[in-house]
Amino acid sequence: MAKSMINEQVHSAAAAGTFTIGGDLTVNRLGYGAMRITGPGIWGPPADKDSAIATLRRAIDLDVNLIDTADSYGPAVSEELIAKALYPYPPALVIATKGGWERPGPGQWTHNASPKHLAEALEGSLKRLRLDRIDVYQLHTPDNAVSFEASMGALARLREQGKIRHVALSNVTREHIERARKIVPIVSVQNRYSFADRESDYIVDYCEANGIAFLPWAPLGQAKEAHDAIQKVAKELGATPLQVALAWLLKRSKVILPIPGTSSVKHLDENLSAAGLELPQAAFDELSALSIPPASLRG
Ligand SMILES: NC(=O)c1ccc[n+]([C@@H]2O[C@H](COP(=O)([O-])OP(=O)(O)OC[C@H]3O[C@@H](n4cnc5c(N)ncnc54)[C@H](OP(=O)(O)O)[C@@H]3O)[C@@H](O)[C@H]2O)c1
């Protein structure tokens, strides 16, 4: 395929196939990460609000029906923009939000996964997203100052109260997942992962074995350069390296649901083209065999 062809093609997210989260939420496997529709340092409103709204609406036009967000993106900005752009929501749309990790200033994170805070954070997300129930509510990250069982117990109670449909995790080890599953069913796990950032390989395998969705964050390696090999594969396929990175994830496991983040319609279109990009086995194997220090993705 000539280089211009794949980049000019805009695929539907449906071309990536589907996965059913928690046994009842069927989504197209290529989703959208809504962390980038905020200001610099994931703080405050985006520089171009109209573009952020257009990007969200374009995602729906391209059949994206899994959107990842968090109360702390902005904070509040990402969830508010999602509601502003998309409410009333299309029936099949799954919004996965998170709580337990606060954003007190640009580029800063503070842990807060106490039961009291999680209950308050959930109420805030319900209000901003204009929902009675969150389809997928993710503990953003375990809080070392709070018993992990206490955080999960709080989410289990909120689920019993009907405010959460499914409970999920982010930034966790296998031990966390196993401990959480003793308290409440876990439907998805979100850790940093890409072809060049494989610390969570064993978590992907665990999720696959247990029918749990795996949402890789930074699936594009946050657009940093990773390795010459991906340039080579991209050239051979007439695609961009970022499209190849997404195609690698889609091929890596059927439980992987990439959520590439962008604030632009142009980049969204490019990323969605990867839904229909089939990575040849040899290229997949070549990229899978690479050993790249994760630091290359963290800058
Ligand atoms: N659970 C967690 O702790 C956690 C942490 C980080 C992220 N997340 C979630 O995961 C999602 C994805 O992660 P991420 O946004 O950090 O990283 P990413 O998806 O790997 O990369 C996003 C970056 O790549 C750029 N980009 C996107 N498409 C592009 C394209 N086609 N060409 C060139 N540049 C492109 C974006 O800039 P533009 O805006 O200019 O396109 C942005 O700077 C987030 O949006 C968020 O929902 C979760």
Side-chain angles (χ1 to χ4, degrees):
M1 191 182 285
K3 185 176 175 68
S4 56
M5 279 178 71
I6 179 118
N7 291 330
E8 279 164 16
Q9 266 176 7
V10 176
H11 284 270
S12 152
T18 61
F19 180 82
T20 302
I21 302 173
D24 60 1
L25 295 174
T26 299
V27 295
N28 293 324
R29 287 186 57 218
L30 197 49
Y32 170 68
M35 188 179 83
R36 300 282 165 188
I37 51 168
T38 60
I42 320 302
W43 183 257
D48 186 342
K49 203 170 169 182
D50 291 343
S51 169
I53 287 177
T55 304
L56 285 161
R57 292 189 177 147
R58 179 69 171 160
I60 300 299
D61 289 346
L62 297 181
D63 303 319
V64 167
N65 53 15
L66 172 64
I67 296 183
D68 177 73
T69 184
D71 63 343
S72 49
Y73 296 165
V77 171
S78 174
E79 290 182 331
E80 283 169 0
L81 280 175
I82 289 170
K84 187 174 168 55
L86 305 179
Y87 188 86
Y89 302 116
L93 179 65
V94 173
I95 300 173
T97 192
K98 320 182 191 77
W101 213 11
E102 294 187 290
R103 196 75 166 164
Q108 297 169 30
W109 293 105
T110 48
H111 293 270
N112 194 351
S114 68
K116 181 170 177 287
H117 175 72
L118 287 173
E120 288 166 2
L122 175 67
E123 289 302 330
S125 291
L126 287 168
K127 197 168 162 208
R128 284 186 292 277
L129 290 167
R130 302 187 216 169
L131 291 168
D132 297 326
R133 181 175 66 165
I134 302 291
D135 275 337
V136 179
Y137 195 77
Q138 306 160 96
L139 177 69
H140 206 149
T141 193
D143 178 347
N144 287 341
V146 175
S147 139
F148 181 66
E149 275 69 19
S151 299
M152 297 317 299
L155 296 184
R157 280 193 298 282
L158 294 164
R159 176 175 168 268
E160 279 162 21
Q161 290 166 17
K163 295 179 180 180
I164 294 174
R165 186 168 187 163
H166 294 299
V167 175
L169 295 170
S170 176
N171 298 308
V172 287
T173 62
R174 176 176 169 158
E175 185 197 339
H176 285 122
I177 309 171
E178 288 175 339
R179 282 164 62 190
R181 291 179 80 201
K182 291 188 178 134
I183 297 168
V184 63
I186 296 299
V187 301
S188 69
V189 171
Q190 182 174 148
N191 281 5
R192 197 191 64 236
Y193 187 74
S194 70
F195 92 97
D197 191 354
R198 307 274 290 282
E199 274 178 282
S200 281
D201 254 335
Y202 74 112
I203 301 280
V204 174
D205 294 340
Y206 177 87
C207 286
E208 187 175 279
N210 289 282
I212 296 171
F214 182 87
L215 281 60
W217 67 257
L220 305 171
Q222 299 183 327
K224 294 182 187 127
E225 279 199 19
H227 197 282
D228 290 348
I230 200 161
Q231 310 279 351
K232 180 176 139 282
V233 171
K235 204 169 171 200
E236 283 164 9
L237 295 178
T240 70
L242 297 183
Q243 288 164 341
V244 173
L246 292 173
W248 183 89
L249 285 166
L250 291 169
K251 199 174 175 73
R252 166 69 177 81
S253 168
K254 294 281 180 227
V255 303
I256 288 189
L257 314 178
I259 45 165
T262 181
S263 53
S264 94
V265 168
K266 178 176 176 285
H267 287 171
L268 185 84
D269 285 359
E270 286 172 15
N271 299 344
L272 263 292
S273 293
L277 179 62
E278 174 68 29
L279 202 56
Q281 190 63 42
F284 176 82
D285 291 343
E286 187 184 345
L287 294 176
S288 303
L290 292 173
S291 172
I292 304 167
S296 67
L297 284 176
R298 293 186 202 140

